[in-house]
Amino acid sequence: MKKKSIIRRVKVLPQKRNILPIQDWKNFLIEGEKEFNALYDGLIVPKHNKDDFDFIKLIAEGTYGQVYLAQLRENETKYAIKVVKKSKEESSKPIHNYLVEKKVLQAINFPFCIQLEMFFQCPEYIYLCLPYHPCGDLFKQLRKNRKFKETVSRFYGAQVVLALEYLHYLSVVHRDIKPENILLQNNGYIKLTDFGLSKRIHEKRTYTFCGTPEYVAPEVILHKGYGTSVDWWSFGVLLYELTSGSTPFKALHCLETYGKIITATYTNPPYFTQQLDDLVENLLQVDLSKRFGNLKSGSDDIKNHLWFQGTDWTALYNCSLPSPYMPLTVCTDSSRDSSVNELNKF
């Protein structure tokens, strides 16, 4: 009797489309959603494994994982590899967050969002391989400059608006918008990163308490159901911080910070222009029926605000505007440090 051959069928990810130049924004969003849905549940066939890389040093550390600078041996290309230690419980929070983050990163395709380059795993760890940006994150640049001029804050803020408009069209809420999660490219444009808290919510609400205390929205603190509205609140905090050098609800204790947030107790610096004052006020609205980004016109209320007047949105998402600020490259020592020793055991 002739044996039947067993063929293992693997749903390989289709090639991502070349999106630039973007000519029709609304059509781009429609086609982008189709592409995202096609890629979201696909499987990645690993091209490489841990042994193909030289792990150089730890460059960032979070609650559930660490990010290492690593170099692919075959062509010496540098990557930022997020490493998450596996848990014995498959339903554990770190693993669940990782699975969502992996799906989002492999499916998004936008100029101002980071994308997954490679994925692989070993018995002890899982690895998300991302592009490496030597200029570091926006927080490091902000610390060097103390604060930015409104022209610079507007340039970065406009890119975040477009990134959020794209993600929200896909029903993805980021839930951790802050300068540390915004990388800078050599050309001065941004890449929104760290989708570890992101979630697809569609028409439903979510109730998970998460985020960074100084940026979290009041509806999260009050355990109300929420959706994409939380990203627009965090965006308001971001604009305030970029232009002032400090967050609006900063306090010595976390509970005091939360108290300020749920009552929207803050004061804009006197050097904010009237237009920025007004935009921040409309973003940091406790009442969701008044918060910009969450109203009937969506993000258009923000894009059409006087503070963004004169912004060429088409030139911006095609990355053809000159950056008002060229970031300083963060010096990275290429010598191996002791933080990679644990990885090399497996």
Side-chain angles (χ1 to χ4, degrees), residues 282-318:
N282 281 289
L283 288 165
L284 299 182
Q285 280 285 344
V286 176
D287 186 346
L288 291 177
S289 68
K290 297 179 180 179
R291 187 182 304 167
F292 272 22
N294 196 55
L295 308 183
K296 183 178 180 180
S297 298
S299 57
D300 284 343
D301 286 325
I302 300 170
K303 295 164 76 174
N304 295 329
H305 191 273
L306 282 176
W307 193 65
F308 281 115
Q309 189 175 40
T311 300
D312 188 336
W313 295 97
T314 301
L316 183 69
Y317 55 62
N318 282 308

Short mmCIF file of all heavy atoms in Angstrom, two decimals, residues 282-318:
data_model
loop_
_atom_site.label_atom_id
_atom_site.label_comp_id
_atom_site.label_asym_id
_atom_site.label_seq_id
_atom_site.Cartn_x
_atom_site.Cartn_y
_atom_site.Cartn_z
N ASN A 282 -7.91 71.03 24.95
CA ASN A 282 -8.91 70.19 24.29
C ASN A 282 -8.51 68.72 24.24
O ASN A 282 -9.37 67.85 24.01
CB ASN A 282 -9.17 70.70 22.87
CG ASN A 282 -10.10 71.90 22.85
OD1 ASN A 282 -11.29 71.77 23.12
ND2 ASN A 282 -9.55 73.07 22.57
N LEU A 283 -7.24 68.41 24.45
CA LEU A 283 -6.78 67.03 24.51
C LEU A 283 -6.85 66.48 25.94
O LEU A 283 -7.23 65.33 26.16
CB LEU A 283 -5.34 66.92 23.99
CG LEU A 283 -5.17 67.09 22.49
CD1 LEU A 283 -3.70 67.33 22.13
CD2 LEU A 283 -5.69 65.87 21.72
N LEU A 284 -6.51 67.32 26.91
CA LEU A 284 -6.53 66.90 28.31
C LEU A 284 -7.91 67.18 28.91
O LEU A 284 -8.05 67.89 29.91
CB LEU A 284 -5.42 67.59 29.10
CG LEU A 284 -4.00 67.31 28.61
CD1 LEU A 284 -2.97 68.00 29.48
CD2 LEU A 284 -3.72 65.80 28.55
N GLN A 285 -8.91 66.63 28.29
CA GLN A 285 -10.29 66.75 28.72
C GLN A 285 -10.73 65.46 29.40
O GLN A 285 -10.68 64.39 28.80
CB GLN A 285 -11.19 67.02 27.52
CG GLN A 285 -11.22 68.45 27.05
CD GLN A 285 -12.02 69.35 27.98
OE1 GLN A 285 -12.80 68.88 28.82
NE2 GLN A 285 -11.82 70.66 27.85
N VAL A 286 -11.13 65.57 30.65
CA VAL A 286 -11.64 64.40 31.36
C VAL A 286 -12.94 63.92 30.73
O VAL A 286 -13.19 62.72 30.61
CB VAL A 286 -11.85 64.73 32.86
CG1 VAL A 286 -12.48 63.54 33.58
CG2 VAL A 286 -10.52 65.10 33.52
N ASP A 287 -13.76 64.86 30.30
CA ASP A 287 -15.03 64.55 29.65
C ASP A 287 -14.76 64.06 28.22
O ASP A 287 -14.32 64.82 27.36
CB ASP A 287 -15.91 65.80 29.62
CG ASP A 287 -17.32 65.54 29.09
OD1 ASP A 287 -17.54 64.46 28.50
OD2 ASP A 287 -18.18 66.41 29.26
N LEU A 288 -15.04 62.79 27.98
CA LEU A 288 -14.74 62.19 26.67
C LEU A 288 -15.56 62.81 25.54
O LEU A 288 -15.14 62.75 24.38
CB LEU A 288 -14.99 60.68 26.71
CG LEU A 288 -14.02 59.87 27.57
CD1 LEU A 288 -14.43 58.41 27.58
CD2 LEU A 288 -12.60 60.01 27.07
N SER A 289 -16.69 63.42 25.88
CA SER A 289 -17.51 64.05 24.86
C SER A 289 -16.93 65.39 24.40
O SER A 289 -17.44 66.01 23.47
CB SER A 289 -18.94 64.27 25.38
OG SER A 289 -18.96 65.24 26.42
N LYS A 290 -15.83 65.81 25.04
CA LYS A 290 -15.19 67.06 24.67
C LYS A 290 -13.73 66.87 24.23
O LYS A 290 -13.11 67.82 23.76
CB LYS A 290 -15.21 68.03 25.87
CG LYS A 290 -16.61 68.44 26.31
CD LYS A 290 -16.55 69.38 27.50
CE LYS A 290 -17.95 69.79 27.95
NZ LYS A 290 -17.91 70.69 29.13
N ARG A 291 -13.20 65.68 24.39
CA ARG A 291 -11.77 65.45 24.08
C ARG A 291 -11.53 65.36 22.58
O ARG A 291 -12.13 64.53 21.90
CB ARG A 291 -11.25 64.19 24.76
CG ARG A 291 -9.73 64.00 24.63
CD ARG A 291 -9.26 62.71 25.28
NE ARG A 291 -9.67 62.67 26.67
CZ ARG A 291 -9.62 61.56 27.44
NH1 ARG A 291 -9.20 60.42 26.90
NH2 ARG A 291 -10.01 61.60 28.69
N PHE A 292 -10.62 66.18 22.09
CA PHE A 292 -10.24 66.13 20.68
C PHE A 292 -9.67 64.75 20.35
O PHE A 292 -8.92 64.16 21.14
CB PHE A 292 -9.21 67.21 20.36
CG PHE A 292 -9.82 68.54 19.99
CD1 PHE A 292 -11.12 68.87 20.35
CD2 PHE A 292 -9.10 69.47 19.25
CE1 PHE A 292 -11.69 70.08 20.01
CE2 PHE A 292 -9.65 70.70 18.90
CZ PHE A 292 -10.96 71.00 19.28
N GLY A 293 -9.99 64.26 19.18
CA GLY A 293 -9.58 62.93 18.75
C GLY A 293 -10.66 61.90 19.00
O GLY A 293 -10.72 60.87 18.34
N ASN A 294 -11.54 62.21 19.98
CA ASN A 294 -12.60 61.28 20.36
C ASN A 294 -13.98 61.76 19.92
O ASN A 294 -14.98 61.14 20.23
CB ASN A 294 -12.58 61.08 21.89
CG ASN A 294 -13.36 59.86 22.32
OD1 ASN A 294 -13.11 58.76 21.85
ND2 ASN A 294 -14.31 60.06 23.23
N LEU A 295 -14.02 62.88 19.21
CA LEU A 295 -15.30 63.45 18.76
C LEU A 295 -15.68 62.91 17.39
O LEU A 295 -14.98 62.08 16.82
CB LEU A 295 -15.20 64.98 18.75
CG LEU A 295 -14.68 65.62 20.05
CD1 LEU A 295 -14.70 67.13 19.94
CD2 LEU A 295 -15.51 65.15 21.25
N LYS A 296 -16.78 63.40 16.85
CA LYS A 296 -17.32 62.90 15.60
C LYS A 296 -16.32 63.01 14.45
O LYS A 296 -16.21 62.12 13.60
CB LYS A 296 -18.61 63.66 15.25
CG LYS A 296 -19.29 63.18 13.99
CD LYS A 296 -20.57 63.96 13.73
CE LYS A 296 -21.26 63.47 12.45
NZ LYS A 296 -22.52 64.23 12.18
N SER A 297 -15.54 64.10 14.42
CA SER A 297 -14.58 64.32 13.33
C SER A 297 -13.25 63.60 13.56
O SER A 297 -12.35 63.70 12.73
CB SER A 297 -14.33 65.82 13.16
OG SER A 297 -15.53 66.48 12.80
N GLY A 298 -13.12 62.90 14.68
CA GLY A 298 -11.90 62.14 14.95
C GLY A 298 -10.66 63.01 14.98
O GLY A 298 -10.66 64.13 15.52
N SER A 299 -9.60 62.53 14.37
CA SER A 299 -8.32 63.23 14.38
C SER A 299 -8.34 64.51 13.56
O SER A 299 -7.43 65.34 13.67
CB SER A 299 -7.21 62.31 13.88
OG SER A 299 -7.51 61.84 12.58
N ASP A 300 -9.36 64.70 12.73
CA ASP A 300 -9.44 65.93 11.93
C ASP A 300 -9.55 67.18 12.81
O ASP A 300 -9.10 68.26 12.43
CB ASP A 300 -10.62 65.87 10.96
CG ASP A 300 -10.35 64.97 9.76
OD1 ASP A 300 -9.16 64.68 9.51
OD2 ASP A 300 -11.31 64.57 9.09
N ASP A 301 -10.16 67.04 13.99
CA ASP A 301 -10.24 68.18 14.91
C ASP A 301 -8.85 68.64 15.33
O ASP A 301 -8.64 69.82 15.60
CB ASP A 301 -11.06 67.81 16.15
CG ASP A 301 -12.55 67.72 15.86
OD1 ASP A 301 -13.03 68.50 15.02
OD2 ASP A 301 -13.22 66.86 16.46
N ILE A 302 -7.92 67.69 15.39
CA ILE A 302 -6.54 68.01 15.77
C ILE A 302 -5.78 68.55 14.56
O ILE A 302 -5.11 69.59 14.64
CB ILE A 302 -5.84 66.76 16.35
CG1 ILE A 302 -6.59 66.26 17.59
CG2 ILE A 302 -4.38 67.07 16.68
CD1 ILE A 302 -6.13 64.93 18.09
N LYS A 303 -5.91 67.87 13.43
CA LYS A 303 -5.18 68.27 12.22
C LYS A 303 -5.61 69.64 11.71
O LYS A 303 -4.81 70.37 11.12
CB LYS A 303 -5.37 67.21 11.13
CG LYS A 303 -4.74 65.88 11.49
CD LYS A 303 -5.23 64.74 10.61
CE LYS A 303 -4.62 64.78 9.23
NZ LYS A 303 -5.01 63.57 8.44
N ASN A 304 -6.87 70.00 11.96
CA ASN A 304 -7.38 71.29 11.50
C ASN A 304 -7.26 72.39 12.55
O ASN A 304 -7.70 73.52 12.31
CB ASN A 304 -8.85 71.16 11.07
CG ASN A 304 -9.03 70.25 9.86
OD1 ASN A 304 -8.15 70.17 9.00
ND2 ASN A 304 -10.15 69.56 9.80
N HIS A 305 -6.67 72.07 13.69
CA HIS A 305 -6.52 73.08 14.75
C HIS A 305 -5.52 74.16 14.32
O HIS A 305 -4.60 73.90 13.54
CB HIS A 305 -6.04 72.41 16.04
CG HIS A 305 -6.12 73.29 17.24
ND1 HIS A 305 -5.09 74.14 17.60
CD2 HIS A 305 -7.10 73.47 18.16
CE1 HIS A 305 -5.43 74.80 18.70
NE2 HIS A 305 -6.65 74.41 19.05
N LEU A 306 -5.72 75.36 14.85
CA LEU A 306 -4.86 76.49 14.48
C LEU A 306 -3.38 76.23 14.75
O LEU A 306 -2.51 76.75 14.05
CB LEU A 306 -5.30 77.75 15.24
CG LEU A 306 -6.56 78.47 14.69
CD1 LEU A 306 -6.93 79.63 15.60
CD2 LEU A 306 -6.32 78.93 13.26
N TRP A 307 -3.08 75.42 15.78
CA TRP A 307 -1.67 75.16 16.11
C TRP A 307 -0.97 74.40 14.97
O TRP A 307 0.22 74.54 14.77
CB TRP A 307 -1.55 74.38 17.42
CG TRP A 307 -0.15 74.36 17.97
CD1 TRP A 307 0.56 75.43 18.43
CD2 TRP A 307 0.70 73.22 18.11
NE1 TRP A 307 1.81 75.03 18.85
CE2 TRP A 307 1.92 73.68 18.68
CE3 TRP A 307 0.56 71.86 17.84
CZ2 TRP A 307 2.98 72.82 18.97
CZ3 TRP A 307 1.61 71.01 18.13
CH2 TRP A 307 2.81 71.49 18.69
N PHE A 308 -1.72 73.59 14.24
CA PHE A 308 -1.16 72.84 13.11
C PHE A 308 -1.40 73.56 11.78
O PHE A 308 -1.13 72.99 10.72
CB PHE A 308 -1.77 71.44 13.05
CG PHE A 308 -1.18 70.46 14.04
CD1 PHE A 308 -1.96 69.94 15.07
CD2 PHE A 308 0.15 70.08 13.94
CE1 PHE A 308 -1.42 69.03 15.97
CE2 PHE A 308 0.70 69.18 14.84
CZ PHE A 308 -0.07 68.66 15.87
N GLN A 309 -1.87 74.79 11.84
CA GLN A 309 -2.13 75.54 10.62
C GLN A 309 -0.84 75.68 9.79
O GLN A 309 0.21 76.01 10.32
CB GLN A 309 -2.67 76.94 10.94
CG GLN A 309 -3.18 77.71 9.74
CD GLN A 309 -3.82 79.04 10.15
OE1 GLN A 309 -3.33 79.72 11.04
NE2 GLN A 309 -4.92 79.40 9.49
N GLY A 310 -0.94 75.40 8.51
CA GLY A 310 0.23 75.48 7.64
C GLY A 310 0.97 74.17 7.49
O GLY A 310 1.90 74.07 6.67
N THR A 311 0.58 73.16 8.27
CA THR A 311 1.23 71.85 8.15
C THR A 311 0.85 71.19 6.83
O THR A 311 -0.34 71.03 6.54
CB THR A 311 0.85 70.93 9.33
OG1 THR A 311 1.26 71.53 10.55
CG2 THR A 311 1.50 69.56 9.18
N ASP A 312 1.82 70.82 6.05
CA ASP A 312 1.58 70.10 4.80
C ASP A 312 1.55 68.60 5.12
O ASP A 312 2.58 67.93 5.14
CB ASP A 312 2.69 70.41 3.80
CG ASP A 312 2.40 69.86 2.40
OD1 ASP A 312 1.63 68.90 2.30
OD2 ASP A 312 2.98 70.39 1.43
N TRP A 313 0.35 68.10 5.40
CA TRP A 313 0.21 66.72 5.86
C TRP A 313 0.65 65.72 4.78
O TRP A 313 1.23 64.68 5.11
CB TRP A 313 -1.24 66.46 6.27
CG TRP A 313 -1.64 67.29 7.46
CD1 TRP A 313 -2.31 68.48 7.44
CD2 TRP A 313 -1.36 67.00 8.84
NE1 TRP A 313 -2.47 68.95 8.72
CE2 TRP A 313 -1.91 68.06 9.60
CE3 TRP A 313 -0.72 65.96 9.50
CZ2 TRP A 313 -1.83 68.10 10.99
CZ3 TRP A 313 -0.64 65.99 10.88
CH2 TRP A 313 -1.19 67.05 11.61
N THR A 314 0.40 66.02 3.51
CA THR A 314 0.81 65.12 2.43
C THR A 314 2.32 65.02 2.36
O THR A 314 2.89 63.92 2.27
CB THR A 314 0.26 65.62 1.08
OG1 THR A 314 -1.16 65.70 1.14
CG2 THR A 314 0.68 64.68 -0.04
N ALA A 315 3.01 66.16 2.41
CA ALA A 315 4.47 66.16 2.39
C ALA A 315 5.03 65.48 3.63
O ALA A 315 6.06 64.81 3.58
CB ALA A 315 5.00 67.59 2.28
N LEU A 316 4.32 65.62 4.76
CA LEU A 316 4.80 65.04 6.01
C LEU A 316 4.80 63.53 5.95
O LEU A 316 5.81 62.88 6.23
CB LEU A 316 3.95 65.54 7.18
CG LEU A 316 4.40 65.05 8.55
CD1 LEU A 316 5.73 65.68 8.94
CD2 LEU A 316 3.34 65.34 9.62
N TYR A 317 3.64 62.92 5.59
CA TYR A 317 3.63 61.45 5.61
C TYR A 317 4.42 60.84 4.47
O TYR A 317 4.70 59.64 4.47
CB TYR A 317 2.22 60.86 5.72
CG TYR A 317 1.17 61.26 4.72
CD1 TYR A 317 1.31 60.99 3.36
CD2 TYR A 317 -0.02 61.85 5.15
CE1 TYR A 317 0.33 61.33 2.45
CE2 TYR A 317 -1.02 62.19 4.24
CZ TYR A 317 -0.84 61.92 2.89
OH TYR A 317 -1.83 62.25 2.00
N ASN A 318 4.83 61.66 3.51
CA ASN A 318 5.76 61.18 2.49
C ASN A 318 7.21 61.51 2.84
O ASN A 318 8.11 61.29 2.02
CB ASN A 318 5.40 61.78 1.13
CG ASN A 318 4.22 61.08 0.49
OD1 ASN A 318 4.21 59.86 0.37
ND2 ASN A 318 3.20 61.84 0.09
#
